[in-house]
Amino acid sequence: MAKILSWVWRLLRSSGLALAIVAALATYVAAFAWLPSTEAGVATTGLGMALGIDQPFVAPPFLVLVALTFASTLACTLDRTRRTLALWRGLPAGGALELPERPDADPRVFLAGHGFRGAGAVLFRNRLALWGGWAFHAGLLLLIAGVAVQRAYHDGGAFELTVDETARLDAPRVVFGRAPGPLADVDPPALAVTLLDFDPYLHERGFDRDRRSLLRVAAGDRVLVEGTVDRVHGLDAGAVTLFQALPHGLALEIELADTGRRGFRLHHDDDTHASGAFHAPDGTPARLSLASTRSLSDPLGSGGLRVFLEQRGAKIELQPGGAFAFGATSATLVSVRRWSGFTYGRSPAMPAVFFGFLFVLGGAALLACPAGVAQLAAPGHGIAARVYVSRGRDLMIAEWTDLPSGLRSEIRGRRPES
Amino acid sequence: MESVAFWAGATLYAAATAAFFAWLAFRRPALARFALLAALAALVPHGLALALRWAEVGHGPFSTRYEVLSANAFLLVVVYVVAVRIAPALRGLGALVLPAAFLLLGLSVDSFALKSEVPIIFKSYWLYLHIGFAKLFGATTILAAACAAGYLAKARERRFAASLPSPARLDLYAHQLLLLAFLCLGVMIAAGSLWAHQSWGRYWAWDPIETSSLATWIVFGLILHLRVLHGWTGARMAYLTFVALALTVVTVYVVTLAAPTIHTFYLVGTPP
């Protein structure tokens, strides 16, 4: 068993395997960038389904590649920790180059010309940047772990509200399209959300007309927050954030004799018509529709509206305030109002993803800075200095070896900065 | 005024391009100096044209083809000038960079008169990071490829463009620029994710551009690994730098035009 573990560990540490995993991951991701994608997935063809890749980025091959990337990166990071600590302490590691001793050039001055600083026998170039590779790899680990935890606990769904309507998100059939992670709460958040106002035609200079809503969010009897939400920013209510969604339209507010006032949301059929299929309280299927004289999307107004009810093969026009039979229930059309769609998100582990991004980018920024450690040798040993550089090793050897005589004398005459 | 500034910038880029080519042909250092000065001078009216458009339409240069390509050209020249400031020997790369900038302005000019509004979701500071670093990513990759091209040319014919650095140094510069491009692409992806999370509550949707950007970032990582772990340098690394450039062009332009994506037109600009 120990032998197998040791073999696996050696394999994970090999740069060849790391490259193979990265290449496979890049190929997989690149291939699926070209397939038409939807929220539901891609490649919903028979072949895609048969291969189990109809949702490629949660499919087993992808998850295995990500797991291998994590394992290989972990092995690499643990290896790097020891090496980076040694470099940080001023000990050029195994891959250090040795500058041969030359009577006509001072290595300290030469190295100062390459950005190395220090007063003693150990010189550094961008010392903090020595941690670049380590920070980048550790950041990748954090990011992968953060995304895994975030996906496990994430919860989100959509809901719709008519102006002045209040809905409890944890009530049955309020939230739809919900996709909770395996460790997320079973129920949607216990919040009551009221749409106080909705403007579908908000216009700001430089930007297309868009939606904006005024929401009130309460938990039990306590109002958590009241504020506007548009497609730029969500509205935070405790651990839940509410977002403005795209769908909106007109809703018919109808007073039902048995159950009180209820909103019936209609969806646009075309520019001047909207409709929706519903059931009356007694279960009778019915269709409510609306026709306008001008465009329903005209910010200046849709003009006159006519409202119709179709049930049991008959179509009648409804009048505001007029009573009508909705199935077996007596009903009255009260008003026509606007409705809007929203989504909510609950992602307790999102800071882990932010932190992962931060570490990866910090590591990449440090990697972009050339780093190095040099240990000056005592004269008379044939070696002028042992130098580790994060890049430009060959160039440094070439410049030290082929230092033109003019430049050599110039360098000899220059004082190193400390 | 905007039009005058734009054409003044384009004229100076053309002059810089001509001077760089003349320098390659006649090897007079004065021509290279003039070309660099013309490129620097061009940034003033070009930047002014972009600023005037920004003030007029009320949003940054990320809507029409003119705005997008013109801003790309501006940042490309800015990155080039900064690179020359840090490593003066890179001045000769202007012979590749300035024609590219001039070409981008040429492609943008037919939608100069088009002005449009952008979706409200563009009203986010993350957007400036996302788009700004996307442009920087493109510019640094082009410069890295220019260094790789310079390397190949000089490795074959040492006398080519005498004022360019040695092949070994060009190889190192290409690597450093590729590292910067890797960082810029990473910031672009992260900023885009955080922007999406702020506006929609989800930070990743496997949109074709997102997916292609991730694939490109992984391939950049692969190329950098090949150099750092396996010591690939020289001609092999130069060709891999061209692969990186090709992937950049595919992600920024080809996927945008060929695949259904929410990024449509915002990377290549609304056509006239």
Side-chain angles (χ1 to χ4, degrees):
Chain A
M1 187 63 184
K3 266 188 177 176
I4 294 173
L5 284 175
S6 156
W7 178 79
V8 169
W9 183 245
R10 270 205 316 277
L11 185 69
L12 284 174
R13 287 170 58 197
S14 82
S15 58
L17 179 76
L19 284 175
I21 294 169
V22 176
L25 192 64
T27 308
Y28 187 95
V29 172
F32 283 102
W34 287 93
L35 293 178
S37 66
T38 64
E39 282 291 315
V42 302
T44 45
T45 58
L47 182 65
M49 301 285 272
L51 293 174
I53 52 169
D54 51 308
Q55 292 191 39
F57 299 112
V58 289
F62 180 71
L63 297 180
V64 167
L65 280 174
V66 172
L68 282 172
T69 305
F70 187 87
S72 167
T73 308
L74 179 65
C76 175
T77 309
L78 291 176
D79 256 4
R80 273 174 182 275
T81 309
R82 202 166 4 99
R83 219 168 41 213
T84 309
L85 269 174
L87 288 171
W88 178 255
R89 289 178 189 137
L91 305 167
L97 62 95
E98 291 179 345
L99 300 181
E101 204 168 13
R102 297 180 54 151
D104 55 348
D106 181 346
R108 179 182 290 277
V109 180
F110 173 78
L111 290 166
H114 284 77
F116 283 81
R117 303 285 181 267
V122 178
L123 312 178
F124 290 99
R125 179 169 75 178
N126 299 323
R127 192 177 181 188
L128 188 63
L130 290 167
W131 287 96
W134 184 90
F136 179 79
H137 286 80
L140 276 182
L141 292 174
L142 271 174
L143 187 61
I144 295 172
V147 168
V149 175
Q150 189 273 338
R151 293 313 302 165
Y153 285 96
H154 175 75
D155 178 24
F159 61 99
E160 294 171 346
L161 285 175
T162 304
V163 174
D164 286 338
E165 181 187 2
T166 300
R168 279 190 63 94
L169 298 185
D170 55 346
R173 292 186 300 280
V174 169
V175 170
F176 55 93
R178 189 165 175 244
L183 300 177
D185 285 349
V186 175
D187 297 317
L191 295 176
V193 187
T194 308
L195 177 58
L196 300 172
D197 192 18
F198 176 62
D199 179 0
Y201 304 121
L202 171 76
H203 186 246
E204 291 183 52
R205 189 174 160 272
F207 300 97
D208 292 335
R209 291 182 188 283
D210 215 303
R211 305 136 187 81
R212 184 162 68 181
S213 304
L214 178 61
L215 293 176
R216 179 189 296 144
V217 188
D221 296 334
R222 192 164 59 93
V223 173
L224 292 179
V225 65
E226 186 176 307
T228 56
V229 55
D230 58 18
R231 292 203 305 130
V232 181
H233 295 284
L235 179 67
D236 292 324
V240 178
T241 309
L242 303 172
F243 298 94
Q244 175 72 58
L246 280 171
H248 70 95
L250 293 173
L252 305 177
E253 196 181 19
I254 293 175
E255 182 81 35
L256 299 169
D258 303 335
T259 51
R261 211 165 273 196
R262 188 180 148 194
F264 292 85
R265 288 183 273 277
L266 310 182
H267 292 262
H268 288 200
D269 297 325
D270 57 40
D271 206 29
T272 55
H273 293 85
S275 66
F278 305 95
H279 286 92
D282 65 347
T284 306
R287 183 171 189 78
L288 289 160
S289 60
L290 179 151
S292 64
T293 51
R294 289 150 47 98
S295 168
L296 285 167
S297 307
D298 191 335
L300 299 174
S302 58
L305 294 176
R306 298 177 70 191
V307 179
F308 301 94
L309 168 67
E310 285 175 74
Q311 60 183 355
R312 298 180 182 128
K315 181 174 182 178
I316 58 165
E317 182 170 355
L318 306 182
Q319 301 298 332
F324 62 95
F326 190 35
T329 307
S330 174
T332 309
L333 174 64
V334 178
S335 64
V336 179
R337 297 185 166 223
R338 294 197 180 278
W339 67 267
S340 174
F342 301 92
T343 59
Y344 78 86
R346 185 167 52 176
S347 257
M350 201 56 207
V353 178
F354 289 150
F355 201 59
F357 271 138
L358 195 67
F359 242 71
V360 165
L361 295 180
L366 287 176
L367 274 175
C369 303
V373 182
Q375 218 174 31
L376 299 175
H381 291 80
I383 296 169
R386 295 184 71 230
V387 185
Y388 164 84
V389 280
S390 60
R391 56 180 170 271
R393 175 192 156 92
D394 295 343
L395 191 66
M396 181 171 275
I397 295 174
E399 286 188 357
W400 174 255
T401 313
D402 304 331
L403 213 57
S405 54
L407 189 57
R408 273 203 302 267
S409 52
E410 186 193 325
I411 283 179
R412 270 202 306 272
R414 212 192 297 161
R415 300 282 304 165
E417 296 169 38
S418 59
Chain B
M1 179 64 182
E2 184 194 348
S3 172
V4 171
F6 173 78
W7 285 111
T11 307
L12 284 166
Y13 285 141
T17 301
F20 270 123
F21 281 127
W23 167 66
L24 282 180
F26 302 112
R27 296 180 185 180
R28 295 258 176 89
L31 285 167
R33 278 198 298 276
F34 170 77
L36 188 62
L37 274 175
L40 260 173
L43 288 175
V44 178
H46 189 185
L48 179 66
L50 286 168
L52 286 171
R53 174 61 65 99
W54 191 322
E56 186 186 351
V57 297
H59 58 73
F62 29 67
S63 178
T64 67
R65 186 157 294 170
Y66 160 69
E67 293 168 11
V68 172
L69 296 187
S70 179
N72 287 357
F74 181 78
L75 266 182
L76 174 61
V77 178
V78 167
V79 170
Y80 164 70
V81 167
V82 171
V84 169
R85 177 80 183 83
I86 295 168
L90 287 177
R91 190 172 56 180
L93 294 182
L96 293 167
V97 169
L98 268 300
F102 185 63
L103 184 70
L104 282 170
L105 285 195
L107 289 171
S108 76
V109 76
D110 60 348
S111 62
F112 182 82
L114 188 67
K115 288 159 192 168
S116 67
E117 296 183 322
V118 293
I120 194 89
I121 52 165
F122 278 48
K123 207 178 119 187
S124 166
Y125 288 110
W126 288 116
L127 172 82
Y128 294 102
L129 282 179
H130 180 58
I131 294 186
F133 274 89
K135 290 179 191 302
L136 281 174
F137 159 61
T140 44
T141 310
I142 289 173
L143 271 187
C147 284
Y151 168 87
L152 289 174
K154 286 216 71 151
R156 186 168 297 174
E157 174 56 71
R158 281 246 170 199
R159 285 175 304 169
F160 174 79
S163 72
L164 273 181
S166 67
R169 191 158 281 282
L170 280 169
D171 178 54
L172 181 64
Y173 284 149
H175 175 59
Q176 284 175 326
L177 285 161
L178 217 53
L179 272 167
L180 266 180
F182 182 64
L183 170 65
C184 291
L185 180 57
V187 176
M188 180 199 91
I189 292 173
S193 290
L194 299 175
W195 174 30
H197 181 260
Q198 180 192 52
S199 294
W200 302 313
R202 56 127 182 102
Y203 59 90
W204 198 264
W206 298 107
D207 173 80
I209 289 285
E210 287 175 11
T211 314
S212 185
S213 300
L214 179 62
T216 303
W217 193 67
I218 297 171
V219 171
F220 269 60
L222 191 67
I223 293 172
L224 294 170
H225 263 106
L226 282 170
R227 183 176 185 115
V228 175
L229 292 181
H230 293 259
W232 283 32
T233 53
R236 279 194 301 191
M237 195 42 68
Y239 290 122
L240 280 177
T241 307
F242 294 149
V243 170
L245 177 67
L247 278 171
T248 303
V249 172
V250 166
T251 293
V252 175
Y253 294 110
V254 182
V255 179
T256 309
L257 293 172
T261 163
I262 54 168
H263 288 82
T264 301
F265 294 135
Y266 297 121
L267 286 170
V268 292
T270 316

